[in-house]
Amino acid sequence: MHSQSLRGLGALVARLRRSLLLPLLSALLFMAAPEALAHGVAEGDKGFIQESSGVMLLPFIYMGAKHMITGYDHLLFLFGVIFFLYRLKDVGLYVTLFAVGHSVTLLLGVLMEISVSAYVIDAIIGFSVVYKALDNLGAFQRWFGYQPDTRTATLVFGLTHGFGLATKILDYQIAADGLIPNLIAFNVGVEIGQLLALSAILIAMGYWRRTAGFWRHAYTANVAMMSAGFLLMGYQLTGLIVSQ
């Protein structure tokens, strides 16, 4: 009887260790390289944006694609969105909603010079990751007996993500000469980067879903994603307080 209790306790400890492993790794990653992972534009690209003048389509397409592929916050949210989507039609719908929202606020934010604190926007982006992880875990249905409209939430958070980059671009004072073509080119690059990143995620998810451990580790993966979202929120809110 005593040995059975010890085995049961050992199994519980092992399960807790597995559940906490990914969140702990996420925490270490965020604490070790907050600047490298910060939402925005690389320093080299920042200098190019500030000094550029005239229509420069290819460079701005490249920067847009680079931003999306290296933008971990966007990728985390997209990962959460497609986590339980199996049909390409559904994946296409949600990704299109996110892309439309992102595109609208990126263009309007810069053209209308709507500037919001980057810390606030990035904290909301972190919240979007937390929201999607909780949604995947079925938390809203269990806690409130209500399931939010995932399509609406995806569009709204897409709008927020676009404002984040628009705020950064406004801070870099992009030249008015060639502004609209360059912005459109940048946005085209963002969507190209999104398609490339999404393709890689879907391929990886396809292999993972065929393994016996997918459903066993799905909970842990979403807990890790939620932890990353909370860490991003905390990091950005701390930055907001310190910057005051």
Side-chain angles (χ1 to χ4, degrees), residues 30-196:
F30 273 73
M31 289 186 291
E35 293 302 324
L37 293 175
H39 174 73
V41 179
E43 285 300 315
D45 296 338
K46 171 184 174 181
F48 178 83
I49 291 174
Q50 290 175 325
E51 296 173 5
S52 64
S53 180
V55 177
M56 308 181 74
L57 300 182
L58 288 179
F60 275 88
I61 288 175
Y62 166 77
M63 284 191 294
K66 178 183 175 183
H67 164 74
M68 177 55 76
I69 291 175
T70 59
Y72 78 101
D73 48 0
H74 296 296
L75 299 182
L76 270 178
F77 183 73
L78 286 176
F79 174 71
V81 166
I82 69 170
F83 197 90
F84 288 123
L85 296 180
Y86 290 86
R87 297 187 303 176
L88 285 178
K89 181 176 73 172
D90 294 332
V91 172
L93 171 63
Y94 282 95
V95 171
T96 299
L97 287 170
F98 180 75
V100 168
H102 188 280
S103 300
V104 167
T105 48
L106 169 59
L107 295 172
L108 290 182
V110 175
L111 294 176
M112 299 179 66
E113 298 186 358
I114 302 174
S115 183
V116 185
S117 169
Y119 290 115
V120 173
I121 292 294
D122 286 351
I124 294 173
I125 291 173
F127 173 73
S128 74
V129 175
V130 173
Y131 165 87
K132 196 65 198 108
L134 289 173
D135 187 36
N136 288 344
L137 293 169
F140 300 113
Q141 190 66 45
R142 289 200 305 272
W143 294 347
F144 309 113
Y146 169 74
Q147 177 59 47
D149 188 330
T150 308
R151 291 169 297 184
T152 301
T154 302
L155 177 62
V156 169
F157 285 128
L159 293 168
T160 304
H161 283 232
F163 264 128
L165 188 55
T167 298
K168 295 287 186 181
I169 292 177
L170 283 173
D171 289 343
Y172 300 154
Q173 299 178 341
I174 185 172
D177 184 17
L179 174 62
I180 294 179
N182 288 340
L183 279 179
I184 293 174
F186 188 91
N187 201 61
V188 168
V190 167
E191 302 315 325
I192 291 173
Q194 178 172 270
L195 288 175
L196 292 174

